[in-house]
mmCIF file of all heavy atoms in Angstrom:
data_model
loop_
_atom_site.group_PDB
_atom_site.id
_atom_site.type_symbol
_atom_site.label_atom_id
_atom_site.label_comp_id
_atom_site.label_asym_id
_atom_site.label_seq_id
_atom_site.Cartn_x
_atom_site.Cartn_y
_atom_site.Cartn_z
ATOM 1 N N LEU A 14 8.399 -48.313 -1.366
ATOM 2 C CA LEU A 14 7.051 -47.831 -1.041
ATOM 3 C C LEU A 14 6.280 -48.929 -0.320
ATOM 4 O O LEU A 14 6.181 -50.052 -0.822
ATOM 5 C CB LEU A 14 6.304 -47.437 -2.318
ATOM 6 C CG LEU A 14 4.831 -47.048 -2.128
ATOM 7 C CD1 LEU A 14 4.712 -45.699 -1.432
ATOM 8 C CD2 LEU A 14 4.097 -47.029 -3.469
ATOM 9 N N PRO A 15 5.699 -48.656 0.855
ATOM 10 C CA PRO A 15 4.870 -49.669 1.525
ATOM 11 C C PRO A 15 3.590 -49.916 0.733
ATOM 12 O O PRO A 15 2.804 -49.009 0.511
ATOM 13 C CB PRO A 15 4.560 -49.030 2.886
ATOM 14 C CG PRO A 15 5.539 -47.913 3.048
ATOM 15 C CD PRO A 15 5.843 -47.436 1.662
ATOM 16 N N LEU A 16 3.384 -51.149 0.316
ATOM 17 C CA LEU A 16 2.214 -51.506 -0.471
ATOM 18 C C LEU A 16 1.049 -51.976 0.397
ATOM 19 O O LEU A 16 -0.113 -51.811 0.030
ATOM 20 C CB LEU A 16 2.575 -52.604 -1.479
ATOM 21 C CG LEU A 16 3.661 -52.252 -2.494
ATOM 22 C CD1 LEU A 16 4.024 -53.481 -3.322
ATOM 23 C CD2 LEU A 16 3.206 -51.124 -3.395
ATOM 24 N N LEU A 17 1.375 -52.577 1.531
ATOM 25 C CA LEU A 17 0.321 -53.028 2.441
ATOM 26 C C LEU A 17 0.906 -53.261 3.820
ATOM 27 O O LEU A 17 2.113 -53.498 3.971
ATOM 28 C CB LEU A 17 -0.349 -54.312 1.937
ATOM 29 C CG LEU A 17 0.502 -55.589 1.918
ATOM 30 C CD1 LEU A 17 0.262 -56.433 3.182
ATOM 31 C CD2 LEU A 17 0.193 -56.430 0.691
ATOM 32 N N LEU A 18 0.029 -53.166 4.819
ATOM 33 C CA LEU A 18 0.387 -53.512 6.188
ATOM 34 C C LEU A 18 -0.648 -54.511 6.672
ATOM 35 O O LEU A 18 -1.850 -54.222 6.659
ATOM 36 C CB LEU A 18 0.420 -52.274 7.086
ATOM 37 C CG LEU A 18 0.851 -52.490 8.548
ATOM 38 C CD1 LEU A 18 1.569 -51.253 9.083
ATOM 39 C CD2 LEU A 18 -0.336 -52.822 9.458
ATOM 40 N N LEU A 19 -0.182 -55.692 7.066
ATOM 41 C CA LEU A 19 -1.058 -56.773 7.510
ATOM 42 C C LEU A 19 -0.936 -56.901 9.033
ATOM 43 O O LEU A 19 0.078 -57.382 9.542
ATOM 44 C CB LEU A 19 -0.655 -58.074 6.822
ATOM 45 C CG LEU A 19 -1.475 -59.337 7.112
ATOM 46 C CD1 LEU A 19 -2.937 -59.148 6.747
ATOM 47 C CD2 LEU A 19 -0.888 -60.523 6.335
ATOM 48 N N PRO A 20 -1.956 -56.462 9.791
ATOM 49 C CA PRO A 20 -1.848 -56.396 11.259
ATOM 50 C C PRO A 20 -2.224 -57.710 11.934
ATOM 51 O O PRO A 20 -3.383 -57.941 12.291
ATOM 52 C CB PRO A 20 -2.837 -55.276 11.619
ATOM 53 C CG PRO A 20 -3.888 -55.353 10.558
ATOM 54 C CD PRO A 20 -3.219 -55.865 9.317
ATOM 55 N N LEU A 21 -1.249 -58.565 12.127
ATOM 56 C CA LEU A 21 -1.485 -59.887 12.698
ATOM 57 C C LEU A 21 -0.891 -60.014 14.097
ATOM 58 O O LEU A 21 -0.022 -59.230 14.503
ATOM 59 C CB LEU A 21 -0.893 -60.967 11.805
ATOM 60 C CG LEU A 21 -1.370 -61.024 10.357
ATOM 61 C CD1 LEU A 21 -0.656 -62.160 9.621
ATOM 62 C CD2 LEU A 21 -2.876 -61.180 10.274
ATOM 63 N N GLY A 22 -1.365 -61.024 14.816
ATOM 64 C CA GLY A 22 -0.780 -61.413 16.082
ATOM 65 C C GLY A 22 -0.680 -62.924 16.111
ATOM 66 O O GLY A 22 -1.510 -63.627 15.536
ATOM 67 N N VAL A 23 0.330 -63.449 16.771
ATOM 68 C CA VAL A 23 0.571 -64.892 16.823
ATOM 69 C C VAL A 23 0.238 -65.420 18.206
ATOM 70 O O VAL A 23 0.590 -64.808 19.223
ATOM 71 C CB VAL A 23 2.042 -65.215 16.484
ATOM 72 C CG1 VAL A 23 2.282 -66.719 16.523
ATOM 73 C CG2 VAL A 23 2.411 -64.668 15.122
ATOM 74 N N ARG A 24 -0.465 -66.548 18.235
ATOM 75 C CA ARG A 24 -0.724 -67.244 19.495
ATOM 76 C C ARG A 24 -0.488 -68.730 19.278
ATOM 77 O O ARG A 24 -0.510 -69.212 18.144
ATOM 78 C CB ARG A 24 -2.143 -66.969 19.979
ATOM 79 C CG ARG A 24 -3.228 -67.582 19.131
ATOM 80 C CD ARG A 24 -4.598 -67.353 19.778
ATOM 81 N NE ARG A 24 -5.085 -65.999 19.586
ATOM 82 C CZ ARG A 24 -5.827 -65.350 20.470
ATOM 83 N NH1 ARG A 24 -6.119 -65.921 21.623
ATOM 84 N NH2 ARG A 24 -6.278 -64.142 20.234
ATOM 85 N N SER A 25 -0.281 -69.445 20.383
ATOM 86 C CA SER A 25 -0.063 -70.891 20.303
ATOM 87 C C SER A 25 -1.393 -71.608 20.429
ATOM 88 O O SER A 25 -2.161 -71.359 21.361
ATOM 89 C CB SER A 25 0.880 -71.333 21.421
ATOM 90 O OG SER A 25 1.081 -72.724 21.380
ATOM 91 N N GLU A 26 -1.686 -72.487 19.466
ATOM 92 C CA GLU A 26 -2.908 -73.292 19.490
ATOM 93 C C GLU A 26 -2.553 -74.728 19.113
ATOM 94 O O GLU A 26 -2.053 -74.975 18.021
ATOM 95 C CB GLU A 26 -3.954 -72.743 18.508
ATOM 96 C CG GLU A 26 -4.510 -71.381 18.887
ATOM 97 C CD GLU A 26 -5.635 -70.942 17.961
ATOM 98 O OE1 GLU A 26 -6.265 -71.822 17.324
ATOM 99 O OE2 GLU A 26 -5.876 -69.721 17.871
ATOM 100 N N ASN A 27 -2.799 -75.644 20.033
ATOM 101 C CA ASN A 27 -2.541 -77.075 19.791
ATOM 102 C C ASN A 27 -1.127 -77.326 19.295
ATOM 103 O O ASN A 27 -0.902 -78.126 18.381
ATOM 104 C CB ASN A 27 -3.558 -77.623 18.788
ATOM 105 C CG ASN A 27 -4.981 -77.504 19.298
ATOM 106 O OD1 ASN A 27 -5.263 -77.812 20.450
ATOM 107 N ND2 ASN A 27 -5.883 -77.044 18.435
ATOM 108 N N GLY A 28 -0.177 -76.626 19.892
ATOM 109 C CA GLY A 28 1.220 -76.834 19.556
ATOM 110 C C GLY A 28 1.681 -76.143 18.289
ATOM 111 O O GLY A 28 2.831 -76.328 17.874
ATOM 112 N N MET A 29 0.815 -75.353 17.666
ATOM 113 C CA MET A 29 1.192 -74.626 16.452
ATOM 114 C C MET A 29 1.147 -73.128 16.692
ATOM 115 O O MET A 29 0.375 -72.638 17.521
ATOM 116 C CB MET A 29 0.252 -74.978 15.292
ATOM 117 C CG MET A 29 0.451 -76.367 14.745
ATOM 118 S SD MET A 29 -0.648 -76.659 13.341
ATOM 119 C CE MET A 29 -2.239 -76.493 14.129
ATOM 120 N N ALA A 30 1.950 -72.385 15.953
ATOM 121 C CA ALA A 30 1.916 -70.927 15.986
ATOM 122 C C ALA A 30 0.925 -70.455 14.924
ATOM 123 O O ALA A 30 1.150 -70.647 13.727
ATOM 124 C CB ALA A 30 3.300 -70.361 15.714
ATOM 125 N N VAL A 31 -0.180 -69.889 15.377
ATOM 126 C CA VAL A 31 -1.263 -69.459 14.486
ATOM 127 C C VAL A 31 -1.301 -67.934 14.455
ATOM 128 O O VAL A 31 -1.369 -67.290 15.506
ATOM 129 C CB VAL A 31 -2.622 -70.011 14.946
ATOM 130 C CG1 VAL A 31 -3.730 -69.568 14.000
ATOM 131 C CG2 VAL A 31 -2.572 -71.531 15.035
ATOM 132 N N ALA A 32 -1.256 -67.355 13.274
ATOM 133 C CA ALA A 32 -1.323 -65.902 13.117
ATOM 134 C C ALA A 32 -2.727 -65.505 12.695
ATOM 135 O O ALA A 32 -3.253 -66.006 11.697
ATOM 136 C CB ALA A 32 -0.309 -65.424 12.079
ATOM 137 N N CYS A 33 -3.342 -64.620 13.483
ATOM 138 C CA CYS A 33 -4.685 -64.108 13.217
ATOM 139 C C CYS A 33 -4.633 -62.590 13.195
ATOM 140 O O CYS A 33 -3.673 -61.966 13.659
ATOM 141 C CB CYS A 33 -5.658 -64.544 14.314
ATOM 142 S SG CYS A 33 -5.667 -66.302 14.689
ATOM 143 N N TYR A 34 -5.673 -61.983 12.692
ATOM 144 C CA TYR A 34 -5.776 -60.528 12.770
ATOM 145 C C TYR A 34 -5.856 -60.097 14.234
ATOM 146 O O TYR A 34 -6.492 -60.751 15.066
ATOM 147 C CB TYR A 34 -7.025 -60.034 12.044
ATOM 148 C CG TYR A 34 -6.904 -60.012 10.534
ATOM 149 C CD1 TYR A 34 -7.506 -61.007 9.769
ATOM 150 C CD2 TYR A 34 -6.214 -58.995 9.880
ATOM 151 C CE1 TYR A 34 -7.413 -60.987 8.385
ATOM 152 C CE2 TYR A 34 -6.111 -58.973 8.501
ATOM 153 C CZ TYR A 34 -6.711 -59.964 7.747
ATOM 154 O OH TYR A 34 -6.619 -59.950 6.379
ATOM 155 N N LEU A 35 -5.232 -58.969 14.542
ATOM 156 C CA LEU A 35 -5.369 -58.377 15.859
ATOM 157 C C LEU A 35 -6.821 -57.923 16.059
ATOM 158 O O LEU A 35 -7.516 -57.582 15.116
ATOM 159 C CB LEU A 35 -4.429 -57.180 16.005
ATOM 160 C CG LEU A 35 -2.923 -57.471 15.960
ATOM 161 C CD1 LEU A 35 -2.141 -56.157 15.916
ATOM 162 C CD2 LEU A 35 -2.493 -58.306 17.157
ATOM 163 N N GLY A 36 -7.255 -57.918 17.301
ATOM 164 C CA GLY A 36 -8.609 -57.450 17.603
ATOM 165 C C GLY A 36 -9.571 -58.547 17.963
ATOM 166 O O GLY A 36 -10.622 -58.282 18.545
ATOM 167 N N GLY A 37 -9.244 -59.795 17.596
ATOM 168 C CA GLY A 37 -10.059 -60.937 17.975
ATOM 169 C C GLY A 37 -11.524 -60.791 17.616
ATOM 170 O O GLY A 37 -11.889 -60.221 16.581
ATOM 171 N N LYS A 38 -12.392 -61.276 18.498
ATOM 172 C CA LYS A 38 -13.828 -61.301 18.230
ATOM 173 C C LYS A 38 -14.487 -59.940 18.337
ATOM 174 O O LYS A 38 -15.675 -59.800 18.018
ATOM 175 C CB LYS A 38 -14.501 -62.280 19.199
ATOM 176 C CG LYS A 38 -14.312 -61.931 20.659
ATOM 177 C CD LYS A 38 -14.726 -63.086 21.551
ATOM 178 C CE LYS A 38 -14.351 -62.827 22.998
ATOM 179 N NZ LYS A 38 -14.572 -64.005 23.852
ATOM 180 N N HIS A 39 -13.741 -58.921 18.760
ATOM 181 C CA HIS A 39 -14.332 -57.586 18.893
ATOM 182 C C HIS A 39 -14.338 -56.832 17.563
ATOM 183 O O HIS A 39 -14.902 -55.737 17.472
ATOM 184 C CB HIS A 39 -13.564 -56.783 19.942
ATOM 185 C CG HIS A 39 -13.592 -57.423 21.295
ATOM 186 N ND1 HIS A 39 -14.660 -57.319 22.154
ATOM 187 C CD2 HIS A 39 -12.695 -58.220 21.929
ATOM 188 C CE1 HIS A 39 -14.420 -58.007 23.250
ATOM 189 N NE2 HIS A 39 -13.232 -58.570 23.146
ATOM 190 N N ILE A 40 -13.730 -57.414 16.552
ATOM 191 C CA ILE A 40 -13.611 -56.773 15.249
ATOM 192 C C ILE A 40 -14.535 -57.476 14.256
ATOM 193 O O ILE A 40 -14.477 -58.693 14.098
ATOM 194 C CB ILE A 40 -12.151 -56.848 14.742
ATOM 195 C CG1 ILE A 40 -11.195 -56.216 15.770
ATOM 196 C CG2 ILE A 40 -12.015 -56.181 13.384
ATOM 197 C CD1 ILE A 40 -11.449 -54.774 16.095
ATOM 198 N N THR A 41 -15.368 -56.708 13.565
ATOM 199 C CA THR A 41 -16.277 -57.302 12.582
ATOM 200 C C THR A 41 -15.563 -57.621 11.281
ATOM 201 O O THR A 41 -15.690 -58.721 10.741
ATOM 202 C CB THR A 41 -17.463 -56.362 12.300
ATOM 203 O OG1 THR A 41 -18.199 -56.163 13.510
ATOM 204 C CG2 THR A 41 -18.400 -56.960 11.251
ATOM 205 N N PHE A 42 -14.799 -56.660 10.747
ATOM 206 C CA PHE A 42 -14.124 -56.852 9.462
ATOM 207 C C PHE A 42 -12.620 -56.758 9.628
ATOM 208 O O PHE A 42 -12.107 -55.869 10.320
ATOM 209 C CB PHE A 42 -14.577 -55.791 8.454
ATOM 210 C CG PHE A 42 -16.044 -55.838 8.151
ATOM 211 C CD1 PHE A 42 -16.858 -54.754 8.449
ATOM 212 C CD2 PHE A 42 -16.628 -56.953 7.576
ATOM 213 C CE1 PHE A 42 -18.216 -54.781 8.180
ATOM 214 C CE2 PHE A 42 -17.990 -56.997 7.307
ATOM 215 C CZ PHE A 42 -18.781 -55.912 7.616
ATOM 216 N N ASN A 43 -11.916 -57.675 8.968
ATOM 217 C CA ASN A 43 -10.453 -57.706 9.006
ATOM 218 C C ASN A 43 -9.900 -57.546 7.600
ATOM 219 O O ASN A 43 -10.361 -58.209 6.661
ATOM 220 C CB ASN A 43 -9.974 -59.039 9.586
ATOM 221 C CG ASN A 43 -10.286 -59.169 11.064
ATOM 222 O OD1 ASN A 43 -9.852 -58.341 11.859
ATOM 223 N ND2 ASN A 43 -11.036 -60.188 11.438
#
């Protein structure tokens, strides 16, 4: 049974792979 879905996206920042919520600054709540 799927208990949760975490909608992330990965980008490179200062040589690291950083995972953030999709939607960026256009989304108020994540």
Side-chain angles (χ1 to χ4, degrees):
L14 174 71
L16 300 174
L17 67 96
L18 183 149
L19 182 59
L21 303 179
V23 181
R24 69 175 77 213
S25 179
E26 293 185 23
N27 299 315
M29 288 183 298
V31 181
C33 309
Y34 283 103
L35 295 172
K38 60 193 172 188
H39 300 280
I40 304 300
T41 298
F42 299 118
N43 291 302

